Amino acid sequence: MSTLQRSTADEATRRSAVVRATPPPVPSPPEGGSGGGRGFPSARRGGGRVAGLDGLRTVAVVLVIVYHVEPDLVPGGSVGVDVFFTISGFVITRLLVAEYARTGRIRLWSFYRRRWLRLMPALLVMCAVAALLSARFALPLFDGAWAAAVLAAGSVVNLVRAADPGTYSDLTAPLGHTWSLGVEEQFYLAWPLLLLVLLRHATARAVLGGAAVLCVLPVLWRTVLWDPAAAHRIYNGPDTRADQLLVGALLALVLARLRAEDPRLALLRRWAGRLCPLALTLLALIAWQIPITETNRWNPLWYTVGFLAAAVLSACVVAALELCPRAWPSRLLSPAVPVWVGRNLSYGMYLWHYPVIRLLSDLGVHGGRLLAAGLAATLAAALASYVLVERPLLRHHPVRGRRPEPAVAAAGPPAL
């Protein structure tokens, strides 16, 4: 055989070996298949905590504390609750979808265990202190607090308040602020189950469509229920406030659905950056000018579509903080101190601000001194709760095999 023939044969042999060694092309998985993030390709893209969201938590909790002490300064300060609901729905859903995209399942028992460890021990300590104050000291504002503590520990204060047609009863008054924690706990029980069903049995587009429909249903339900006598029912009901959490959940699903190179994500980023300043301004105007919870100022427009509008404004801010970290709203909300407070103390401030304010009032602190003293004492109580209760539990019960969960990602909103 000639040298040319041997060279040609050797080349053919090498090509044949390359062809045999090259694996066949793998077809792209279907939308609902086990790959590609199971229809949510960006679910695992999250880079951890968003500093601006932690700063926003601090602003919201301070707003509610000011509202409870000096309601004339911010008559619509309860809008801080709406902001917190939307943040919680967003963060919790982002975590759930990331787990499903990574593993094809949601470990419900593990989720409920983490929620209990994050929220309940600190709540139970606060309830125990309130019950002790009721039993051991003659404090008018803590009279009967042991009953309120039992209801708060069971996360049902909102259900009891929803049944009050007129002025709220004294039964829940000492710890009435825990109504919003009840709304969130009830959402945490129902939403992961429903989301898991949707993720397993529907395409990603259908999941988005279902979440969007769920956002609208509470508005229709509030319209059916509306009557001045039903204001407490609407304000406290888990079904009538669900859209505010679901709007955040829908935003998380949308961001998980869009790939990094998707032009729709670029469009969303551009519009979120443009609308965020307007949304922040409108939320500030609501807090400054619109009384929401005063009995003689119940507004049918707010109690039907207003809650959804506040959630949409909050979602615009959340989207901008997530997608535009270098924009000025993100920089405004990201100084180190507010971020640290929002990350580590916002839940404790939510738990303790209301009983602290009532205790200071019982001790004779009134007027302009109450706000400064209330803020200082609330920070001290929240720091003690974080150091003695919350952080030790997080250290002793770490989350293994997952991206670390934010320490206060789903803390209940500072409530009314």
Side-chain angles (χ1 to χ4, degrees), residues 131-164:
L132 179 63
L133 290 173
S134 173
R136 300 289 295 174
F137 303 99
L139 298 170
L141 293 180
F142 284 88
D143 185 30
W146 64 270
V150 172
L151 295 174
S155 299
V156 295
V157 166
N158 66 309
L159 301 179
V160 175
R161 284 165 58 109
D164 290 333

Side-chain angles (χ1 to χ4, degrees), residues 99 102-103 105 107 110 113-114 117 393-405:
E99 180 181 0
R102 184 173 58 253
T103 67
R105 62 194 179 108
R107 295 178 295 177
S110 178
R113 175 178 173 273
R114 292 194 309 273
L117 287 171
L393 281 172
L394 291 175
R395 284 179 173 177
H396 284 92
H397 299 276
V399 181
R400 294 182 176 88
R402 294 172 53 89
R403 181 171 59 88
E405 182 179 354

Side-chain angles (χ1 to χ4, degrees), residues 40-236:
F40 293 93
S42 296
R44 294 170 287 180
R45 188 185 59 210
R49 302 194 67 98
V50 178
L53 287 182
D54 290 322
L56 183 61
R57 288 190 183 96
T58 300
V59 173
V61 71
V62 171
L63 178 64
V64 173
I65 294 173
V66 173
Y67 170 76
H68 280 155
V69 179
E70 296 286 353
D72 291 338
L73 293 179
V74 281
S78 64
V79 76
V81 175
D82 307 76
V83 174
F84 264 98
F85 279 158
T86 304
I87 292 175
S88 294
F90 171 77
V91 175
I92 283 297
T93 303
R94 182 171 61 176
L95 293 171
L96 292 171
V97 175
E99 180 181 0
Y100 186 80
R102 184 173 58 253
T103 67
R105 62 194 179 108
I106 295 175
R107 295 178 295 177
L108 294 173
W109 174 249
S110 178
F111 171 81
Y112 293 135
R113 175 178 173 273
R114 292 194 309 273
R115 290 299 91 217
W116 195 94
L117 287 171
R118 178 63 193 99
L119 301 176
M120 291 305 296
L123 172 63
L124 292 176
V125 170
M126 187 272 295
C127 290
V129 171
L132 179 63
L133 290 173
S134 173
R136 300 289 295 174
F137 303 99
L139 298 170
L141 293 180
F142 284 88
D143 185 30
W146 64 270
V150 172
L151 295 174
S155 299
V156 295
V157 166
N158 66 309
L159 301 179
V160 175
R161 284 165 58 109
D164 290 333
T167 304
Y168 289 132
S169 69
D170 293 336
L171 183 63
T172 63
L175 299 178
H177 69 302
T178 59
W179 75 269
S180 59
L181 187 56
V183 171
E184 288 206 2
E185 290 288 355
Q186 291 144 25
F187 177 80
Y188 295 155
L189 285 174
W191 175 238
L193 288 167
L194 180 56
L195 179 62
L196 181 58
V197 171
L198 290 173
L199 290 171
R200 281 183 173 176
H201 300 287
T203 64
R205 289 182 180 178
V207 172
L208 289 174
V213 170
L214 289 173
C215 289
V216 176
L217 291 180
V219 182
L220 301 178
W221 183 223
R222 289 195 296 264
T223 303
V224 172
L225 290 175
W226 169 249
D227 183 273
H232 290 168
R233 165 70 181 87
I234 292 173
Y235 195 84
N236 292 275

Side-chain angles (χ1 to χ4, degrees), residues 241-262:
R241 299 301 291 268
D243 53 332
Q244 298 193 306
L245 291 129
L246 288 167
V247 166
L250 178 61
L251 174 61
L253 290 169
V254 169
L255 294 181
R257 173 72 175 144
L258 299 177
R259 296 181 183 274
E261 67 276 9
D262 194 319

